[in-house]
mmCIF file of all heavy atoms in Angstrom:
data_model
loop_
_atom_site.group_PDB
_atom_site.id
_atom_site.type_symbol
_atom_site.label_atom_id
_atom_site.label_comp_id
_atom_site.label_asym_id
_atom_site.label_seq_id
_atom_site.Cartn_x
_atom_site.Cartn_y
_atom_site.Cartn_z
ATOM 1 N N VAL A 80 -3.470 -2.516 1.261
ATOM 2 C CA VAL A 80 -2.739 -3.760 1.080
ATOM 3 C C VAL A 80 -1.847 -3.994 2.289
ATOM 4 O O VAL A 80 -1.095 -3.113 2.700
ATOM 5 C CB VAL A 80 -1.904 -3.705 -0.206
ATOM 6 C CG1 VAL A 80 -1.127 -4.982 -0.388
ATOM 7 C CG2 VAL A 80 -2.818 -3.471 -1.400
ATOM 8 N N GLN A 81 -1.927 -5.167 2.869
ATOM 9 C CA GLN A 81 -1.157 -5.476 4.057
ATOM 10 C C GLN A 81 0.270 -5.879 3.689
ATOM 11 O O GLN A 81 0.512 -6.452 2.631
ATOM 12 C CB GLN A 81 -1.832 -6.611 4.842
ATOM 13 C CG GLN A 81 -3.273 -6.270 5.251
ATOM 14 C CD GLN A 81 -3.353 -5.033 6.125
ATOM 15 O OE1 GLN A 81 -2.558 -4.870 7.031
ATOM 16 N NE2 GLN A 81 -4.298 -4.154 5.840
ATOM 17 N N ASP A 82 1.204 -5.608 4.614
ATOM 18 C CA ASP A 82 2.616 -5.960 4.413
ATOM 19 C C ASP A 82 3.107 -5.444 3.073
ATOM 20 O O ASP A 82 3.811 -6.122 2.336
ATOM 21 C CB ASP A 82 2.818 -7.482 4.467
ATOM 22 C CG ASP A 82 2.323 -8.051 5.791
ATOM 23 O OD1 ASP A 82 2.588 -7.415 6.822
ATOM 24 O OD2 ASP A 82 1.683 -9.115 5.776
ATOM 25 N N SER A 83 2.703 -4.250 2.729
ATOM 26 C CA SER A 83 3.006 -3.749 1.397
ATOM 27 C C SER A 83 4.305 -2.981 1.385
ATOM 28 O O SER A 83 4.850 -2.596 2.402
ATOM 29 C CB SER A 83 1.876 -2.838 0.899
ATOM 30 O OG SER A 83 1.945 -1.592 1.531
ATOM 31 N N ALA A 84 4.766 -2.774 0.166
ATOM 32 C CA ALA A 84 5.972 -1.970 -0.030
ATOM 33 C C ALA A 84 5.603 -0.564 -0.455
ATOM 34 O O ALA A 84 6.382 0.148 -1.041
ATOM 35 C CB ALA A 84 6.850 -2.616 -1.096
ATOM 36 N N GLU A 85 4.380 -0.172 -0.145
ATOM 37 C CA GLU A 85 3.896 1.124 -0.610
ATOM 38 C C GLU A 85 4.712 2.252 -0.011
ATOM 39 O O GLU A 85 4.976 2.295 1.186
ATOM 40 C CB GLU A 85 2.424 1.285 -0.209
ATOM 41 C CG GLU A 85 1.826 2.608 -0.650
ATOM 42 C CD GLU A 85 0.368 2.712 -0.250
ATOM 43 O OE1 GLU A 85 -0.322 1.685 -0.242
ATOM 44 O OE2 GLU A 85 -0.062 3.819 0.064
ATOM 45 N N GLU A 86 5.116 3.181 -0.853
ATOM 46 C CA GLU A 86 5.912 4.308 -0.399
ATOM 47 C C GLU A 86 4.995 5.466 -0.022
ATOM 48 O O GLU A 86 4.000 5.718 -0.695
ATOM 49 C CB GLU A 86 6.876 4.754 -1.501
ATOM 50 C CG GLU A 86 7.885 3.678 -1.866
ATOM 51 C CD GLU A 86 8.800 4.124 -2.985
ATOM 52 O OE1 GLU A 86 8.634 5.252 -3.458
ATOM 53 O OE2 GLU A 86 9.678 3.339 -3.364
ATOM 54 N N PRO A 87 5.313 6.169 1.061
ATOM 55 C CA PRO A 87 4.491 7.306 1.440
ATOM 56 C C PRO A 87 4.565 8.395 0.381
ATOM 57 O O PRO A 87 5.625 8.715 -0.136
ATOM 58 C CB PRO A 87 5.118 7.769 2.761
ATOM 59 C CG PRO A 87 6.502 7.233 2.744
ATOM 60 C CD PRO A 87 6.458 5.974 1.958
ATOM 61 N N ILE A 88 3.429 8.937 0.035
ATOM 62 C CA ILE A 88 3.340 9.973 -0.982
ATOM 63 C C ILE A 88 2.812 11.228 -0.315
ATOM 64 O O ILE A 88 1.841 11.171 0.451
ATOM 65 C CB ILE A 88 2.401 9.543 -2.128
ATOM 66 C CG1 ILE A 88 2.945 8.276 -2.803
ATOM 67 C CG2 ILE A 88 2.238 10.644 -3.144
ATOM 68 C CD1 ILE A 88 1.992 7.679 -3.805
ATOM 69 N N GLU A 89 3.463 12.352 -0.600
ATOM 70 C CA GLU A 89 3.077 13.604 0.033
ATOM 71 C C GLU A 89 1.607 13.886 -0.214
ATOM 72 O O GLU A 89 1.130 13.883 -1.351
ATOM 73 C CB GLU A 89 3.924 14.761 -0.520
ATOM 74 C CG GLU A 89 3.597 16.087 0.137
ATOM 75 C CD GLU A 89 4.500 17.204 -0.342
ATOM 76 O OE1 GLU A 89 5.502 16.915 -0.988
ATOM 77 O OE2 GLU A 89 4.188 18.354 -0.045
ATOM 78 N N GLY A 90 0.863 14.140 0.858
ATOM 79 C CA GLY A 90 -0.531 14.498 0.727
ATOM 80 C C GLY A 90 -1.474 13.325 0.609
ATOM 81 O O GLY A 90 -2.681 13.525 0.547
ATOM 82 N N LEU A 91 -0.991 12.096 0.584
ATOM 83 C CA LEU A 91 -1.855 10.926 0.424
ATOM 84 C C LEU A 91 -1.633 9.927 1.554
ATOM 85 O O LEU A 91 -0.507 9.500 1.784
ATOM 86 C CB LEU A 91 -1.599 10.230 -0.910
ATOM 87 C CG LEU A 91 -2.174 10.865 -2.173
ATOM 88 C CD1 LEU A 91 -1.833 10.004 -3.375
ATOM 89 C CD2 LEU A 91 -3.675 11.044 -2.069
ATOM 90 N N PRO A 92 -2.695 9.525 2.230
ATOM 91 C CA PRO A 92 -2.571 8.431 3.200
ATOM 92 C C PRO A 92 -2.348 7.113 2.467
ATOM 93 O O PRO A 92 -2.508 7.030 1.242
ATOM 94 C CB PRO A 92 -3.936 8.443 3.918
ATOM 95 C CG PRO A 92 -4.587 9.730 3.527
ATOM 96 C CD PRO A 92 -4.026 10.105 2.201
ATOM 97 N N PRO A 93 -2.002 6.053 3.194
ATOM 98 C CA PRO A 93 -1.841 4.754 2.530
ATOM 99 C C PRO A 93 -3.178 4.196 2.065
ATOM 100 O O PRO A 93 -4.242 4.615 2.518
ATOM 101 C CB PRO A 93 -1.216 3.874 3.623
ATOM 102 C CG PRO A 93 -1.625 4.528 4.907
ATOM 103 C CD PRO A 93 -1.673 5.996 4.627
ATOM 104 N N GLY A 94 -3.111 3.218 1.164
ATOM 105 C CA GLY A 94 -4.317 2.547 0.711
ATOM 106 C C GLY A 94 -4.910 3.171 -0.541
ATOM 107 O O GLY A 94 -4.333 4.069 -1.164
ATOM 108 N N PHE A 95 -6.092 2.693 -0.899
ATOM 109 C CA PHE A 95 -6.775 3.140 -2.116
ATOM 110 C C PHE A 95 -8.150 3.727 -1.846
ATOM 111 O O PHE A 95 -8.790 4.212 -2.775
ATOM 112 C CB PHE A 95 -6.911 1.971 -3.097
ATOM 113 C CG PHE A 95 -5.603 1.534 -3.687
ATOM 114 C CD1 PHE A 95 -4.815 0.598 -3.048
ATOM 115 C CD2 PHE A 95 -5.145 2.075 -4.879
ATOM 116 C CE1 PHE A 95 -3.594 0.194 -3.580
ATOM 117 C CE2 PHE A 95 -3.925 1.686 -5.425
ATOM 118 C CZ PHE A 95 -3.151 0.742 -4.775
ATOM 119 N N GLY A 96 -8.617 3.691 -0.599
ATOM 120 C CA GLY A 96 -9.919 4.252 -0.288
ATOM 121 C C GLY A 96 -10.895 3.194 0.176
ATOM 122 O O GLY A 96 -10.586 2.004 0.219
ATOM 123 N N GLU A 97 -12.093 3.634 0.507
ATOM 124 C CA GLU A 97 -13.100 2.756 1.074
ATOM 125 C C GLU A 97 -14.140 2.341 0.043
ATOM 126 O O GLU A 97 -14.398 3.047 -0.930
ATOM 127 C CB GLU A 97 -13.799 3.451 2.252
ATOM 128 C CG GLU A 97 -12.861 3.817 3.394
ATOM 129 C CD GLU A 97 -13.591 4.470 4.544
ATOM 130 O OE1 GLU A 97 -14.799 4.758 4.387
ATOM 131 O OE2 GLU A 97 -12.966 4.704 5.587
ATOM 132 N N GLY A 98 -14.747 1.183 0.309
ATOM 133 C CA GLY A 98 -15.893 0.742 -0.465
ATOM 134 C C GLY A 98 -15.616 0.525 -1.933
ATOM 135 O O GLY A 98 -14.491 0.233 -2.354
ATOM 136 N N ILE A 99 -16.662 0.713 -2.733
ATOM 137 C CA ILE A 99 -16.584 0.413 -4.162
ATOM 138 C C ILE A 99 -15.612 1.339 -4.873
ATOM 139 O O ILE A 99 -14.878 0.928 -5.779
ATOM 140 C CB ILE A 99 -17.995 0.500 -4.813
ATOM 141 C CG1 ILE A 99 -17.938 0.049 -6.261
ATOM 142 C CG2 ILE A 99 -18.572 1.895 -4.669
ATOM 143 C CD1 ILE A 99 -17.582 -1.405 -6.439
ATOM 144 N N LEU A 100 -15.561 2.621 -4.450
ATOM 145 C CA LEU A 100 -14.640 3.558 -5.100
ATOM 146 C C LEU A 100 -13.189 3.197 -4.802
ATOM 147 O O LEU A 100 -12.303 3.391 -5.644
ATOM 148 C CB LEU A 100 -14.935 4.988 -4.655
ATOM 149 C CG LEU A 100 -16.251 5.585 -5.154
ATOM 150 C CD1 LEU A 100 -16.436 6.998 -4.633
ATOM 151 C CD2 LEU A 100 -16.311 5.570 -6.682
ATOM 152 N N GLY A 101 -12.936 2.669 -3.602
ATOM 153 C CA GLY A 101 -11.592 2.208 -3.287
ATOM 154 C C GLY A 101 -11.193 1.051 -4.182
ATOM 155 O O GLY A 101 -10.048 0.973 -4.642
ATOM 156 N N ARG A 102 -12.127 0.140 -4.422
ATOM 157 C CA ARG A 102 -11.833 -0.992 -5.303
ATOM 158 C C ARG A 102 -11.628 -0.529 -6.743
ATOM 159 O O ARG A 102 -10.774 -1.056 -7.456
ATOM 160 C CB ARG A 102 -12.961 -2.021 -5.222
ATOM 161 C CG ARG A 102 -13.100 -2.618 -3.840
ATOM 162 C CD ARG A 102 -14.061 -3.792 -3.801
ATOM 163 N NE ARG A 102 -14.125 -4.316 -2.440
ATOM 164 C CZ ARG A 102 -13.232 -5.152 -1.935
ATOM 165 N NH1 ARG A 102 -12.218 -5.560 -2.659
ATOM 166 N NH2 ARG A 102 -13.345 -5.582 -0.684
ATOM 167 N N VAL A 103 -12.402 0.465 -7.152
ATOM 168 C CA VAL A 103 -12.219 1.009 -8.503
ATOM 169 C C VAL A 103 -10.818 1.605 -8.644
ATOM 170 O O VAL A 103 -10.115 1.372 -9.642
ATOM 171 C CB VAL A 103 -13.301 2.061 -8.823
ATOM 172 C CG1 VAL A 103 -12.975 2.787 -10.125
ATOM 173 C CG2 VAL A 103 -14.675 1.407 -8.917
ATOM 174 N N ALA A 104 -10.390 2.385 -7.633
ATOM 175 C CA ALA A 104 -9.051 2.983 -7.687
ATOM 176 C C ALA A 104 -7.978 1.898 -7.704
ATOM 177 O O ALA A 104 -6.974 2.004 -8.427
ATOM 178 C CB ALA A 104 -8.848 3.919 -6.494
ATOM 179 N N PHE A 105 -8.196 0.839 -6.909
ATOM 180 C CA PHE A 105 -7.237 -0.266 -6.887
ATOM 181 C C PHE A 105 -7.105 -0.887 -8.275
ATOM 182 O O PHE A 105 -5.994 -1.138 -8.768
ATOM 183 C CB PHE A 105 -7.689 -1.323 -5.874
ATOM 184 C CG PHE A 105 -6.810 -2.536 -5.834
ATOM 185 C CD1 PHE A 105 -5.710 -2.582 -5.000
ATOM 186 C CD2 PHE A 105 -7.070 -3.636 -6.644
ATOM 187 C CE1 PHE A 105 -4.885 -3.700 -4.962
ATOM 188 C CE2 PHE A 105 -6.256 -4.759 -6.617
ATOM 189 C CZ PHE A 105 -5.165 -4.795 -5.772
ATOM 190 N N TRP A 106 -8.232 -1.148 -8.929
ATOM 191 C CA TRP A 106 -8.183 -1.789 -10.247
ATOM 192 C C TRP A 106 -7.682 -0.844 -11.329
ATOM 193 O O TRP A 106 -7.129 -1.281 -12.336
ATOM 194 C CB TRP A 106 -9.548 -2.368 -10.601
ATOM 195 C CG TRP A 106 -9.864 -3.592 -9.790
ATOM 196 C CD1 TRP A 106 -10.763 -3.708 -8.777
ATOM 197 C CD2 TRP A 106 -9.214 -4.869 -9.906
ATOM 198 N NE1 TRP A 106 -10.728 -4.972 -8.253
ATOM 199 C CE2 TRP A 106 -9.793 -5.711 -8.920
ATOM 200 C CE3 TRP A 106 -8.224 -5.379 -10.724
ATOM 201 C CZ2 TRP A 106 -9.397 -7.032 -8.751
ATOM 202 C CZ3 TRP A 106 -7.832 -6.696 -10.547
ATOM 203 C CH2 TRP A 106 -8.408 -7.512 -9.584
ATOM 204 N N ILE A 107 -7.854 0.468 -11.119
ATOM 205 C CA ILE A 107 -7.232 1.430 -12.039
ATOM 206 C C ILE A 107 -5.716 1.302 -11.951
ATOM 207 O O ILE A 107 -5.011 1.263 -12.976
ATOM 208 C CB ILE A 107 -7.677 2.870 -11.708
ATOM 209 C CG1 ILE A 107 -9.136 3.087 -12.123
ATOM 210 C CG2 ILE A 107 -6.774 3.890 -12.413
ATOM 211 C CD1 ILE A 107 -9.699 4.420 -11.646
ATOM 212 N N ALA A 108 -5.192 1.237 -10.715
ATOM 213 C CA ALA A 108 -3.747 1.073 -10.528
ATOM 214 C C ALA A 108 -3.271 -0.237 -11.147
ATOM 215 O O ALA A 108 -2.226 -0.288 -11.809
ATOM 216 C CB ALA A 108 -3.405 1.119 -9.043
ATOM 217 N N PHE A 109 -4.026 -1.302 -10.936
ATOM 218 C CA PHE A 109 -3.681 -2.601 -11.511
ATOM 219 C C PHE A 109 -3.658 -2.526 -13.043
ATOM 220 O O PHE A 109 -2.724 -3.012 -13.696
ATOM 221 C CB PHE A 109 -4.704 -3.643 -11.039
ATOM 222 C CG PHE A 109 -4.497 -5.019 -11.601
ATOM 223 C CD1 PHE A 109 -3.548 -5.874 -11.068
ATOM 224 C CD2 PHE A 109 -5.252 -5.473 -12.683
ATOM 225 C CE1 PHE A 109 -3.357 -7.147 -11.586
ATOM 226 C CE2 PHE A 109 -5.067 -6.735 -13.211
ATOM 227 C CZ PHE A 109 -4.113 -7.576 -12.666
ATOM 228 N N SER A 110 -4.667 -1.879 -13.623
ATOM 229 C CA SER A 110 -4.738 -1.751 -15.086
ATOM 230 C C SER A 110 -3.609 -0.879 -15.619
ATOM 231 O O SER A 110 -3.067 -1.141 -16.705
ATOM 232 C CB SER A 110 -6.096 -1.155 -15.491
ATOM 233 O OG SER A 110 -7.160 -1.942 -15.016
ATOM 234 N N PHE A 111 -3.260 0.150 -14.868
ATOM 235 C CA PHE A 111 -2.140 1.019 -15.234
ATOM 236 C C PHE A 111 -0.869 0.183 -15.392
ATOM 237 O O PHE A 111 -0.143 0.286 -16.404
ATOM 238 C CB PHE A 111 -1.981 2.086 -14.157
ATOM 239 C CG PHE A 111 -0.975 3.178 -14.469
ATOM 240 C CD1 PHE A 111 -0.384 3.299 -15.720
ATOM 241 C CD2 PHE A 111 -0.631 4.101 -13.481
ATOM 242 C CE1 PHE A 111 0.527 4.316 -15.999
ATOM 243 C CE2 PHE A 111 0.275 5.113 -13.745
ATOM 244 C CZ PHE A 111 0.857 5.215 -15.000
ATOM 245 N N SER A 112 -0.598 -0.665 -14.405
ATOM 246 C CA SER A 112 0.598 -1.507 -14.468
ATOM 247 C C SER A 112 0.539 -2.470 -15.647
ATOM 248 O O SER A 112 1.538 -2.650 -16.358
ATOM 249 C CB SER A 112 0.757 -2.292 -13.158
ATOM 250 O OG SER A 112 1.141 -1.448 -12.102
ATOM 251 N N LEU A 113 -0.607 -3.082 -15.862
ATOM 252 C CA LEU A 113 -0.726 -4.018 -16.989
ATOM 253 C C LEU A 113 -0.476 -3.313 -18.316
ATOM 254 O O LEU A 113 0.203 -3.850 -19.200
ATOM 255 C CB LEU A 113 -2.110 -4.670 -16.994
ATOM 256 C CG LEU A 113 -2.377 -5.772 -15.972
ATOM 257 C CD1 LEU A 113 -3.737 -6.413 -16.257
ATOM 258 C CD2 LEU A 113 -1.285 -6.840 -16.012
ATOM 259 N N PHE A 114 -1.038 -2.121 -18.474
ATOM 260 C CA PHE A 114 -0.835 -1.374 -19.724
ATOM 261 C C PHE A 114 0.645 -1.071 -19.940
ATOM 262 O O PHE A 114 1.178 -1.256 -21.043
ATOM 263 C CB PHE A 114 -1.637 -0.070 -19.697
ATOM 264 C CG PHE A 114 -1.302 0.858 -20.836
ATOM 265 C CD1 PHE A 114 -1.822 0.643 -22.105
ATOM 266 C CD2 PHE A 114 -0.442 1.940 -20.640
ATOM 267 C CE1 PHE A 114 -1.500 1.494 -23.157
ATOM 268 C CE2 PHE A 114 -0.108 2.780 -21.684
ATOM 269 C CZ PHE A 114 -0.644 2.560 -22.947
ATOM 270 N N GLN A 115 1.318 -0.609 -18.875
ATOM 271 C CA GLN A 115 2.736 -0.268 -19.012
ATOM 272 C C GLN A 115 3.582 -1.501 -19.310
ATOM 273 O O GLN A 115 4.498 -1.449 -20.136
ATOM 274 C CB GLN A 115 3.232 0.422 -17.750
ATOM 275 C CG GLN A 115 2.672 1.815 -17.523
ATOM 276 C CD GLN A 115 3.102 2.818 -18.571
ATOM 277 O OE1 GLN A 115 2.418 3.800 -18.804
ATOM 278 N NE2 GLN A 115 4.217 2.588 -19.217
ATOM 279 N N LEU A 116 3.271 -2.615 -18.668
ATOM 280 C CA LEU A 116 4.041 -3.839 -18.909
ATOM 281 C C LEU A 116 3.804 -4.357 -20.318
ATOM 282 O O LEU A 116 4.737 -4.813 -20.992
ATOM 283 C CB LEU A 116 3.671 -4.901 -17.874
ATOM 284 C CG LEU A 116 4.055 -4.580 -16.428
ATOM 285 C CD1 LEU A 116 3.569 -5.673 -15.486
ATOM 286 C CD2 LEU A 116 5.561 -4.408 -16.304
ATOM 287 N N TRP A 117 2.572 -4.292 -20.766
ATOM 288 C CA TRP A 117 2.267 -4.748 -22.126
ATOM 289 C C TRP A 117 2.975 -3.875 -23.159
ATOM 290 O O TRP A 117 3.595 -4.384 -24.117
ATOM 291 C CB TRP A 117 0.757 -4.725 -22.361
ATOM 292 C CG TRP A 117 0.376 -4.975 -23.785
ATOM 293 C CD1 TRP A 117 0.399 -6.160 -24.460
ATOM 294 C CD2 TRP A 117 -0.053 -3.983 -24.737
ATOM 295 N NE1 TRP A 117 0.009 -5.988 -25.766
ATOM 296 C CE2 TRP A 117 -0.277 -4.664 -25.964
ATOM 297 C CE3 TRP A 117 -0.283 -2.614 -24.676
ATOM 298 C CZ2 TRP A 117 -0.716 -3.992 -27.112
ATOM 299 C CZ3 TRP A 117 -0.716 -1.955 -25.807
ATOM 300 C CH2 TRP A 117 -0.923 -2.642 -27.002
ATOM 301 N N SER A 118 2.911 -2.551 -22.975
ATOM 302 C CA SER A 118 3.554 -1.660 -23.946
ATOM 303 C C SER A 118 5.072 -1.805 -23.904
ATOM 304 O O SER A 118 5.755 -1.671 -24.926
ATOM 305 C CB SER A 118 3.150 -0.202 -23.686
ATOM 306 O OG SER A 118 3.572 0.214 -22.402
ATOM 307 N N ALA A 119 5.629 -2.115 -22.718
ATOM 308 C CA ALA A 119 7.078 -2.302 -22.614
ATOM 309 C C ALA A 119 7.514 -3.611 -23.253
ATOM 310 O O ALA A 119 8.551 -3.681 -23.916
ATOM 311 C CB ALA A 119 7.508 -2.268 -21.155
ATOM 312 N N ALA A 120 6.713 -4.661 -23.055
ATOM 313 C CA ALA A 120 7.099 -5.980 -23.549
ATOM 314 C C ALA A 120 6.950 -6.095 -25.060
ATOM 315 O O ALA A 120 7.769 -6.746 -25.722
ATOM 316 C CB ALA A 120 6.266 -7.062 -22.863
#
């Protein structure tokens, strides 16, 4: 993600990965946030 506020995490480069698996990881993160927001709200 460009111009992101992503914080550096020990042992992990920035981003979510390449190709289809990178997109899967991205949407997992997106779904994680939606689940937490729904359960909080």
Side-chain angles (χ1 to χ4, degrees):
V80 179
Q81 302 300 317
D82 303 318
S83 76
E85 180 179 326
E86 297 178 0
I88 299 172
E89 182 176 348
L91 283 181
F95 291 88
E97 299 181 353
I99 186 65
L100 291 179
R102 297 189 179 278
V103 171
F105 177 89
W106 288 108
I107 288 172
F109 178 80
S110 302
F111 187 9
S112 289
L113 284 187
F114 170 79
Q115 291 295 155
L116 294 177
W117 171 74
S118 62

